[in-house]
Amino acid sequence: MNHHTLRCCGNIPKTHFLFSFFSLFFLFSFTNSAFDLATIPFNDGYSHLFGDGNVVRSSDGNGVQLLLDRYTGSGFISSNMYQHGFFSANIKLPSNYSAGICVAFYTSNGDVFEKTHDELDFEFLGNIAGKPWRFQTNLYGNGSTHRGREERYRLWFDPTKGYHRYSILWTAKNVIFYIDEVPIREVLRNEEMGSEYPVKPMSLYATIWDASNWATSGGKYKVNYKYAPFVVEFKDLVLKGCSVDPIQEVSDNDVCSDQNVDLEAQDYANVTPMRRLAMRRFRQRFMYYSYCYDTIRYPVPPPECNIIPAEKQRFKETGRLKFGGSHRRHSRRGGRTSTPVEDTDQGDM
């Protein structure tokens, strides 16, 4: 198992900083205050996944560092599997040269359902010195890795300078990806999606790993271990959902009905008009690839795609913005079987 990272600053034009500042101000002007979240100590909800001594628990027990060195990456996993939930953490990404690194924060059941796994991803992609971190979100249901649902974005802040909260809400109705209190992507379940919407219990994973073969400029820039160890920090972890046995005979709907109702009543489950406006503005400013507009890959958009004509005009047939970048696909390493969209141009677009 392995995963990704992000970064900013360097030789970026002043106009980019001004633009990012005003975009940030706009986004947060239209979102509510911080969510009311109950965090748990690391040892109460998570355990070591791989990496031996590269999983370093904080002294207060509320966080953990994951390290990548020339010998191994590292990762942790939730102690239980969940039938729907809200999965969240404050994360600070590695700084300096981070090309080839992948930091991932995701839910999956691939260890239990190897051929029919479900997955929801935040994947952060490192970069060369002076270039910003980028990231993607993705969704799989029932082993549908041949139909990747990647979207790729930039950030409006430097994720190496401080902690920011990254969250995944998964219900029977929808999936929402959040950064801080800004919803950046929502996938609404519909009948046409069928089994490609995630429905089976999943664990929460976090990993850092060497993805030199694809993460930065299509593999052009590799991990440089002169800068090792690369450290990603997690704290204020949240696991809210219905813990279940994935092999149990009792219907999860019966076991989890009350907890699912409570989950869907939470503030973060409600995309208010203001939050929807902030999401639209984020996507206008910072999304630079969408599978929904990749007509080479999908001549007929997947059924959950909400095609917005004004938005579609900004993208080429490759699904990338018209003013830069290109598109290719490669298989991922290790236990991850998705087909990431590569950045062969890491310059500012």
Side-chain angles (χ1 to χ4, degrees):
M1 299 291 298
N2 301 338
H3 287 59
H4 0 315
T5 24
L6 302 179
R7 137 187 187 116
C8 260
C9 290
N11 301 319
I12 301 176
K14 183 182 293 185
T15 53
H16 177 86
F17 284 113
L18 291 173
F19 174 73
S20 297
F21 172 80
F22 287 116
S23 297
L24 173 66
F25 177 79
F26 183 91
L27 284 167
F28 280 90
S29 295
F30 285 92
T31 53
N32 295 331
S33 58
F35 297 136
D36 182 14
L37 302 175
T39 63
I40 60 173
F42 181 82
N43 288 342
D44 287 1
Y46 309 87
S47 60
H48 163 274
L49 178 63
F50 73 100
D52 300 323
N54 283 5
V55 179
V56 182
R57 292 163 175 81
S58 64
S59 58
D60 64 6
N62 292 323
V64 65
Q65 292 181 338
L66 297 182
L67 281 64
L68 168 67
D69 57 30
R70 64 179 64 254
Y71 303 105
T72 182
S74 55
F76 65 83
I77 183 174
S78 62
S79 302
N80 296 313
M81 301 185 77
Y82 295 86
Q83 184 65 43
H84 306 126
F86 185 76
F87 311 92
S88 183
N90 273 320
I91 303 174
K92 182 180 179 183
L93 294 167
S95 57
N96 298 320
Y97 185 96
S98 58
I101 298 172
C102 177
V103 169
F105 183 74
Y106 68 108
T107 64
S108 179
N109 48 35
D111 291 339
V112 178
F113 305 101
E114 293 185 10
K115 296 183 179 180
T116 59
H117 88 282
D118 306 301
E119 190 170 316
L120 300 169
D121 296 317
F122 268 111
E123 298 183 317
F124 304 100
L125 309 177
N127 216 330
I128 60 176
K131 297 294 184 180
W133 279 87
R134 303 181 181 199
F135 75 103
Q136 68 181 27
T137 61
N138 212 338
L139 174 151
Y140 297 104
N142 201 37
S144 59
T145 55
H146 63 290
R147 285 168 65 90
R149 291 172 161 89
E150 302 96 342
E151 289 186 348
R152 280 200 174 184
Y153 328 83
R154 294 176 186 80
L155 289 160
W156 65 93
F157 54 84
D158 183 343
T160 74
K161 298 298 186 185
Y163 289 91
H164 288 268
R165 181 165 291 282
Y166 303 87
S167 307
I168 300 170
L169 173 68
W170 169 45
T171 77
K173 302 173 183 177
N174 65 343
V175 172
I176 303 175
F177 295 89
Y178 278 99
I179 297 180
D180 294 320
E181 284 69 52
V182 178
I184 64 163
R185 178 181 183 182
E186 181 181 27
V187 178
L188 294 172
R189 185 179 186 179
N190 59 41
E191 290 185 6
E192 289 75 17
M193 287 187 75
S195 63
E196 294 189 5
Y197 186 87
V199 296
K200 297 185 292 298
M202 291 191 277
S203 299
L204 185 281
Y205 294 80
T207 56
I208 182 171
W209 58 292
D210 185 331
S212 291
N213 62 330
W214 67 272
T216 308
S217 296
K220 179 180 178 181
Y221 299 103
K222 314 295 185 183
V223 174
N224 186 340
Y225 286 101
K226 178 178 73 174
Y227 300 98
F230 302 96
V231 181
V232 56
E233 302 177 45
F234 298 81
K235 68 176 185 177
D236 305 324
L237 298 152
V238 176
L239 282 175
K240 181 177 176 60
C242 181
S243 174
V244 297
D245 179 347
I247 314 299
Q248 67 186 1
E249 305 256 339
V250 182
S251 168
D252 292 331
N253 291 332
D254 296 334
V255 173
C256 296
S257 57
D258 290 344
Q259 292 184 63
N260 286 340
V261 168
D262 179 63
L263 179 69
E264 294 175 17
Q266 298 302 309
D267 181 35
Y268 45 72
N270 179 24
V271 182
T272 64
M274 290 298 184
R275 286 180 184 155
R276 196 162 297 282
L277 181 60
M279 178 166 63
R280 186 167 72 244
R281 183 54 59 96
F282 168 85
R283 295 171 69 81
Q284 289 172 347
R285 293 286 191 267
F286 300 106
M287 184 173 73
Y288 67 90
Y289 172 82
S290 173
Y291 72 105
C292 288
Y293 300 125
D294 190 339
T295 57
I296 293 178
R297 193 176 179 190
Y298 299 118
V300 177
E304 74 280 0
C305 288
N306 178 24
I307 303 300
I308 302 171
E311 188 173 85
K312 183 178 181 180
Q313 293 177 2
R314 299 168 46 234
F315 291 87
K316 297 186 289 188
E317 62 181 4
T318 59
R320 294 182 63 95
L321 288 175
K322 288 184 177 179
F323 50 92
S326 62
H327 163 85
R328 283 188 294 174
R329 282 179 287 164
H330 277 254
S331 61
R332 251 191 234 167
R333 201 185 118 174
R336 311 301 302 284
T337 53
S338 60
T339 52
V341 179
E342 293 181 356
D343 286 326
T344 54
D345 177 3
Q346 289 282 328
D348 296 307
M349 297 182 197

